[in-house]
Amino acid sequence: MGIHGEGCNCGQSQVTKNSCSVEKARVFGMASTETTFPKTIKVPVTLAETAVVVCVEADVHLEKPALEIIRVLKSVILEQCELVPTFSPHSANLFVTGFIRKNIEYTTIDQVTGTAVCGDVRHTTALVPFDFCTELTFPAAGPTLQLAPDFESHGEYLNKSGHAAKINVGLFGNRKVYNERPYCELLFTEFTELDIGLENKRCKDTTKTFSTVREKIVLRIGLKVLQDQQVPIPTTPPPKPTFPPPCKSICPPKKKW
């Protein structure tokens, strides 16, 4: 029994010894720092302006059967706009995701007589999603996307025999560059659409209602792609000093007596 107890205690101490921790951490002073003073200003730089046409189709179900649509208000809200570099240094793909916010105002039927139709005016606010990807090509002369790559290296040492590398010793290095993330802004939106009422029901001989609206939307959206960059500050040379004219040109001639 004593032997088994000793083995159990040994196992517990081994687990404690191999637990995750940091030991013998030392700091060997500070090295000299390198400071630069660039004559630049950090401002948003426009990389590109583009207009994309997107075709969207969706069915919007109304809360109550509608007699007719009075008005439709639309706006665009972007959820994601990301610029992803491609294999060419002067091109990138723009991934855009968002939705069209539509407010549909329509009339309903509560009472139908031989000469009139009575009802309420209701509204339905629908969120119609859309997404697309378009390619942007930057000119060689002009603002371009600035993304500095990271750097990683790995080196090995020879063992004493000189025939292989040391397994327990390695030389590693890396350099991380923190780039400015490109972003987008909305410039304009244009809509053309066709609304079709579905699930028609006849209330009277000349009166029909519908409960679903099929939306066929053509959206033209304008986007501006920007990135915060370091731009040189323009400097003007100092003005040249001016001196008074020589005395001969302004002093009167001396009189002879």
Side-chain angles (χ1 to χ4, degrees), residues 133-149:
C133 176
T134 182
E135 184 178 1
L136 299 179
T137 301
F138 304 105
T144 58
L145 181 64
Q146 295 183 1
L147 292 176

mmCIF file of all heavy atoms in Angstrom, residues 133-149:
data_model
loop_
_atom_site.group_PDB
_atom_site.id
_atom_site.type_symbol
_atom_site.label_atom_id
_atom_site.label_comp_id
_atom_site.label_asym_id
_atom_site.label_seq_id
_atom_site.Cartn_x
_atom_site.Cartn_y
_atom_site.Cartn_z
ATOM 1 N N CYS A 133 -19.612 41.516 -55.733
ATOM 2 C CA CYS A 133 -18.151 41.654 -55.740
ATOM 3 C C CYS A 133 -17.752 42.251 -57.075
ATOM 4 O O CYS A 133 -18.189 41.779 -58.129
ATOM 5 C CB CYS A 133 -17.467 40.301 -55.514
ATOM 6 S SG CYS A 133 -15.659 40.369 -55.611
ATOM 7 N N THR A 134 -16.949 43.294 -57.033
ATOM 8 C CA THR A 134 -16.487 43.949 -58.250
ATOM 9 C C THR A 134 -14.978 44.154 -58.174
ATOM 10 O O THR A 134 -14.414 44.301 -57.080
ATOM 11 C CB THR A 134 -17.209 45.294 -58.452
ATOM 12 O OG1 THR A 134 -16.773 45.883 -59.686
ATOM 13 C CG2 THR A 134 -16.906 46.248 -57.319
ATOM 14 N N GLU A 135 -14.336 44.186 -59.321
ATOM 15 C CA GLU A 135 -12.879 44.348 -59.387
ATOM 16 C C GLU A 135 -12.527 45.801 -59.633
ATOM 17 O O GLU A 135 -13.162 46.482 -60.440
ATOM 18 C CB GLU A 135 -12.293 43.473 -60.499
ATOM 19 C CG GLU A 135 -10.763 43.511 -60.565
ATOM 20 C CD GLU A 135 -10.197 42.605 -61.638
ATOM 21 O OE1 GLU A 135 -11.002 41.961 -62.346
ATOM 22 O OE2 GLU A 135 -8.965 42.547 -61.780
ATOM 23 N N LEU A 136 -11.509 46.273 -58.925
ATOM 24 C CA LEU A 136 -10.992 47.629 -59.089
ATOM 25 C C LEU A 136 -9.552 47.546 -59.587
ATOM 26 O O LEU A 136 -8.748 46.778 -59.052
ATOM 27 C CB LEU A 136 -11.039 48.402 -57.769
ATOM 28 C CG LEU A 136 -12.410 48.601 -57.131
ATOM 29 C CD1 LEU A 136 -12.269 49.357 -55.818
ATOM 30 C CD2 LEU A 136 -13.349 49.350 -58.069
ATOM 31 N N THR A 137 -9.241 48.332 -60.605
ATOM 32 C CA THR A 137 -7.880 48.401 -61.150
ATOM 33 C C THR A 137 -7.351 49.802 -60.920
ATOM 34 O O THR A 137 -7.933 50.788 -61.396
ATOM 35 C CB THR A 137 -7.878 48.060 -62.648
ATOM 36 O OG1 THR A 137 -8.419 46.748 -62.832
ATOM 37 C CG2 THR A 137 -6.459 48.091 -63.193
ATOM 38 N N PHE A 138 -6.246 49.893 -60.192
ATOM 39 C CA PHE A 138 -5.663 51.184 -59.864
ATOM 40 C C PHE A 138 -4.650 51.586 -60.936
ATOM 41 O O PHE A 138 -3.877 50.754 -61.424
ATOM 42 C CB PHE A 138 -4.967 51.123 -58.507
ATOM 43 C CG PHE A 138 -5.864 50.668 -57.395
ATOM 44 C CD1 PHE A 138 -5.755 49.389 -56.884
ATOM 45 C CD2 PHE A 138 -6.830 51.508 -56.873
ATOM 46 C CE1 PHE A 138 -6.576 48.956 -55.859
ATOM 47 C CE2 PHE A 138 -7.661 51.099 -55.858
ATOM 48 C CZ PHE A 138 -7.539 49.818 -55.349
ATOM 49 N N PRO A 139 -4.621 52.871 -61.306
ATOM 50 C CA PRO A 139 -3.642 53.305 -62.305
ATOM 51 C C PRO A 139 -2.228 53.277 -61.734
ATOM 52 O O PRO A 139 -2.016 53.380 -60.523
ATOM 53 C CB PRO A 139 -4.093 54.732 -62.640
ATOM 54 C CG PRO A 139 -4.831 55.189 -61.418
ATOM 55 C CD PRO A 139 -5.491 53.970 -60.843
ATOM 56 N N ALA A 140 -1.278 53.140 -62.642
ATOM 57 C CA ALA A 140 0.121 53.109 -62.202
ATOM 58 C C ALA A 140 0.542 54.442 -61.609
ATOM 59 O O ALA A 140 1.330 54.490 -60.657
ATOM 60 C CB ALA A 140 1.027 52.730 -63.370
ATOM 61 N N ALA A 141 0.022 55.550 -62.153
ATOM 62 C CA ALA A 141 0.329 56.887 -61.647
ATOM 63 C C ALA A 141 -0.873 57.384 -60.864
ATOM 64 O O ALA A 141 -1.940 57.576 -61.419
ATOM 65 C CB ALA A 141 0.663 57.834 -62.794
ATOM 66 N N GLY A 142 -0.701 57.557 -59.583
ATOM 67 C CA GLY A 142 -1.795 58.039 -58.756
ATOM 68 C C GLY A 142 -1.864 57.276 -57.450
ATOM 69 O O GLY A 142 -1.070 56.348 -57.188
ATOM 70 N N PRO A 143 -2.818 57.631 -56.585
ATOM 71 C CA PRO A 143 -2.947 56.923 -55.300
ATOM 72 C C PRO A 143 -3.293 55.447 -55.517
ATOM 73 O O PRO A 143 -4.157 55.102 -56.312
ATOM 74 C CB PRO A 143 -4.090 57.669 -54.606
ATOM 75 C CG PRO A 143 -4.181 58.989 -55.289
ATOM 76 C CD PRO A 143 -3.772 58.742 -56.705
ATOM 77 N N THR A 144 -2.599 54.584 -54.828
ATOM 78 C CA THR A 144 -2.853 53.154 -54.892
ATOM 79 C C THR A 144 -2.977 52.603 -53.478
ATOM 80 O O THR A 144 -2.657 53.275 -52.495
ATOM 81 C CB THR A 144 -1.723 52.409 -55.633
ATOM 82 O OG1 THR A 144 -0.473 52.671 -54.962
ATOM 83 C CG2 THR A 144 -1.629 52.866 -57.078
ATOM 84 N N LEU A 145 -3.424 51.383 -53.394
ATOM 85 C CA LEU A 145 -3.577 50.719 -52.113
ATOM 86 C C LEU A 145 -2.204 50.445 -51.506
ATOM 87 O O LEU A 145 -1.333 49.853 -52.145
ATOM 88 C CB LEU A 145 -4.352 49.409 -52.297
ATOM 89 C CG LEU A 145 -4.633 48.594 -51.047
ATOM 90 C CD1 LEU A 145 -5.539 49.360 -50.091
ATOM 91 C CD2 LEU A 145 -5.264 47.265 -51.422
ATOM 92 N N GLN A 146 -1.997 50.887 -50.268
ATOM 93 C CA GLN A 146 -0.720 50.706 -49.580
ATOM 94 C C GLN A 146 -0.869 49.616 -48.516
ATOM 95 O O GLN A 146 -1.528 49.824 -47.490
ATOM 96 C CB GLN A 146 -0.261 52.015 -48.938
ATOM 97 C CG GLN A 146 0.055 53.110 -49.924
ATOM 98 C CD GLN A 146 0.567 54.377 -49.261
ATOM 99 O OE1 GLN A 146 0.709 54.440 -48.036
ATOM 100 N NE2 GLN A 146 0.863 55.389 -50.058
ATOM 101 N N LEU A 147 -0.266 48.457 -48.786
ATOM 102 C CA LEU A 147 -0.278 47.342 -47.850
ATOM 103 C C LEU A 147 1.128 46.758 -47.799
ATOM 104 O O LEU A 147 1.597 46.156 -48.774
ATOM 105 C CB LEU A 147 -1.282 46.258 -48.283
ATOM 106 C CG LEU A 147 -2.771 46.640 -48.220
ATOM 107 C CD1 LEU A 147 -3.628 45.506 -48.759
ATOM 108 C CD2 LEU A 147 -3.185 46.977 -46.794
ATOM 109 N N ALA A 148 1.807 46.947 -46.684
ATOM 110 C CA ALA A 148 3.165 46.413 -46.518
ATOM 111 C C ALA A 148 3.075 44.989 -45.989
ATOM 112 O O ALA A 148 2.333 44.721 -45.038
ATOM 113 C CB ALA A 148 3.973 47.288 -45.564
ATOM 114 N N PRO A 149 3.807 44.042 -46.568
ATOM 115 C CA PRO A 149 3.700 42.647 -46.123
ATOM 116 C C PRO A 149 4.487 42.395 -44.848
ATOM 117 O O PRO A 149 5.410 43.140 -44.488
ATOM 118 C CB PRO A 149 4.292 41.873 -47.300
ATOM 119 C CG PRO A 149 5.292 42.821 -47.898
ATOM 120 C CD PRO A 149 4.710 44.201 -47.711
#
